[in-house]
Amino acid sequence: MASPAWQPPHRLQPPPPAQLDLTDELLEEVFVRLPTAADLARASTACASFRRLITGHAFLRRFRRLHPPPVLGILAEGFLAAQPPHPSAAAARALADPDAADFSCSFLPSRDRWCLRHFSDGRYLLSAIPERSDPAPDHRALVREFAVCDPLYRRYLLLPPIPDDLASVVNQSEIVNFEPFLCPATEDEEDTMFRVICLAQCEAKLVAFTYSRCSGQWHAVEFDGWRDLTRGTSNPFPSGEPELSGRYYAHGCFCWVMHWVNKLLVLDARSFEFSSIDLPPGPSSRRMVIVEALEGKLGLFTLCNDNALYYFLWYDILENDDEGALQWCMKEIIPLHENFNYNILGVAGGYLLLQGTFKLEWFCGTTYAIISPDMYAGG
């Protein structure tokens, strides 16, 4: 009897890999780590479930908190687009196309009776110009009519005027500075929501008029500690200038530097409560800017110079000490390029914008114009 043919040993097939159940929570953690909004847009085209998650308001708010929008240009008598080699140059060039956006807000009815007051989150805030008045904004006038415009989509909203009973809280003759500005939507609000704040600074009081797109109504909040805060100054309003200088938004709070009392005035945009914080000691002529530091803290950049020869940035963070008291802690000193005079222009999209000016030296003078001259150097 013939022996059976040899058979190779039976190999067990490996079990199929377990299917990973990608829940919405896991997908959100993946998508929120994409580096740019363009990557996020491409991911949303993969399938309907991806698009549903990515276009959700809650996810978009989280993504924007972690990925600030890129700085595309400067608004100065129109839109000045970022130029190469800046990474935003391509997107900025497209936005500079007159067909892409109308930064003059020509679509607003009676455009000539409005003047620009603030720009934030892609929106313009404009205030009405009283009849037979200078088209430039009067920073001491109590303005009551406002419009909010979207230059990209050419949309606008006319706000109801500040009611008489609220406007009567301040005396027009006592206003030192009237400052209207936009307030971004909070984490709990839809992106279409916004608020308008008008800060009326008077010699004896400080009042914030607030308008909410959600409620459609105006309210007024007064800072009870304003008189005590400015009482100790020998000259709280030098040359008629307002006490507050600059305005910065960081972690849901608006901040103003008060040089003459070395304080930082803070308005919490969520609770609409005022408070003040001591600034680090230093000369009143220094230039400062408030930024968002990590873990919800406030950061402070101070532009300093050494005998007008060398400029540097001093970076502090507001932290709690061992006893729980707030104090500014120095984190870094950043030297700047020599032979420039510097100025702080502003903060946006995680960038601190500095202006550097070359030092000039007189060479010669003529009584006639010189076009395209050649420079000569020799012995």
Side-chain angles (χ1 to χ4, degrees):
M1 182 176 178
S3 59
W6 179 84
Q7 298 288 336
H10 178 69
R11 296 183 178 179
L12 296 176
Q13 297 295 325
Q19 296 293 325
L20 180 61
D21 185 15
L22 293 177
T23 62
D24 286 353
E25 290 76 12
L26 289 175
L27 287 172
E28 182 175 322
E29 293 302 320
V30 173
F31 293 145
V32 81
R33 287 167 171 78
L34 293 176
T36 67
D39 296 325
L40 193 66
R42 284 190 287 269
S44 68
T45 62
C47 63
S49 60
F50 284 11
R51 179 175 178 80
R52 173 185 54 81
L53 177 62
I54 290 174
T55 56
H57 291 294
F59 173 79
L60 288 176
R61 283 196 296 270
R62 183 184 177 194
F63 185 85
R64 288 167 183 165
R65 288 197 304 270
L66 298 176
H67 305 272
V71 177
L72 299 178
I74 298 175
L75 293 173
E77 299 298 330
F79 178 71
L80 301 178
Q83 299 176 359
H86 195 278
S88 299
R93 190 184 311 113
L95 193 61
D97 187 336
D99 294 332
D102 183 358
F103 289 101
S104 66
C105 295
S106 61
F107 52 86
L108 187 63
S110 305
R111 176 63 185 87
D112 293 340
R113 70 177 295 264
W114 300 93
C115 63
L116 175 64
R117 303 303 291 262
H118 187 220
F119 180 82
S120 176
D121 282 355
R123 298 185 182 98
Y124 272 130
L125 174 65
L126 302 98
S127 64
I129 303 173
E131 294 183 3
R132 298 181 296 276
S133 298
D134 192 312
D138 183 356
H139 295 283
R140 293 175 179 261
L142 175 61
V143 182
R144 299 172 59 179
E145 296 182 64
F146 299 92
V148 176
C149 298
D150 185 332
L152 190 60
Y153 294 96
R154 293 173 169 81
R155 297 180 298 200
Y156 67 90
L157 177 67
L158 301 180
L159 306 189
I162 298 178
D164 293 340
D165 58 333
L166 293 184
S168 63
V169 173
V170 297
N171 190 328
Q172 171 67 69
S173 62
E174 297 179 354
I175 295 179
V176 177
N177 190 50
F178 188 77
E179 182 183 2
F181 53 93
L182 287 162
C183 178
T186 64
E187 297 180 4
D188 299 329
E189 294 176 333
E190 300 292 340
D191 296 331
T192 56
M193 295 294 104
F194 62 85
R195 285 166 292 172
V196 174
I197 301 177
C198 300
L199 193 69
Q201 180 183 344
C202 304
E203 297 179 2
K205 65 172 58 176
L206 186 70
V207 179
F209 299 97
T210 65
Y211 172 83
S212 171
R213 177 72 175 91
C214 182
S215 66
Q217 296 180 344
W218 286 93
H219 300 276
V221 180
E222 184 174 350
F223 180 30
D224 295 331
W226 177 252
R227 185 186 293 270
D228 294 334
L229 196 61
T230 59
R231 182 177 296 165
T233 59
S234 58
N235 187 9
F237 303 103
S239 303
E241 296 180 0
E243 172 67 30
L244 307 179
S245 62
R247 182 186 65 249
Y248 309 102
Y249 182 78
H251 295 307
C253 293
F254 287 98
C255 306
W256 293 264
V257 175
M258 303 179 65
H259 286 291
W260 303 101
V261 293
N262 205 41
K263 298 277 188 179
L264 186 71
L265 179 69
V266 179
L267 173 61
D268 191 318
R270 294 152 295 194
S271 63
F272 283 101
E273 295 181 352
F274 286 99
S275 62
S276 63
I277 301 172
D278 290 331
L279 288 170
S284 60
S285 59
R286 55 188 168 161
R287 284 155 286 180
M288 304 177 179
V289 63
I290 300 296
V291 297
E292 292 187 340
L294 297 176
E295 300 176 353
K297 300 176 182 178
L298 296 182
L300 171 65
F301 276 106
T302 304
L303 181 63
C304 307
N305 69 303
D306 180 13
N307 298 323
L309 295 177
Y310 303 100
Y311 281 83
F312 55 91
L313 286 171
W314 194 294
Y315 182 51
D316 298 89
I317 293 181
L318 188 64
E319 297 181 319
N320 291 316
D321 59 15
D322 296 337
E323 299 179 356
L326 289 173
Q327 65 176 5
W328 294 98
C329 300
M330 193 275 290
K331 295 298 180 181
E332 191 173 0
I333 298 177
I334 306 171
L336 301 177
H337 195 280
E338 299 179 17
N339 301 322
F340 278 82
N341 288 323
Y342 288 93
N343 188 29
I344 295 177
L345 295 185
V347 178
Y351 286 88
L352 172 63
L353 185 60
L354 294 174
Q355 180 186 49
T357 306
F358 279 114
K359 293 183 179 180
L360 301 178
E361 180 181 354
W362 176 262
F363 183 64
C364 68
T366 70
T367 58
Y368 53 91
I370 302 176
I371 300 176
S372 301
D374 292 321
M375 298 294 290
Y376 174 83

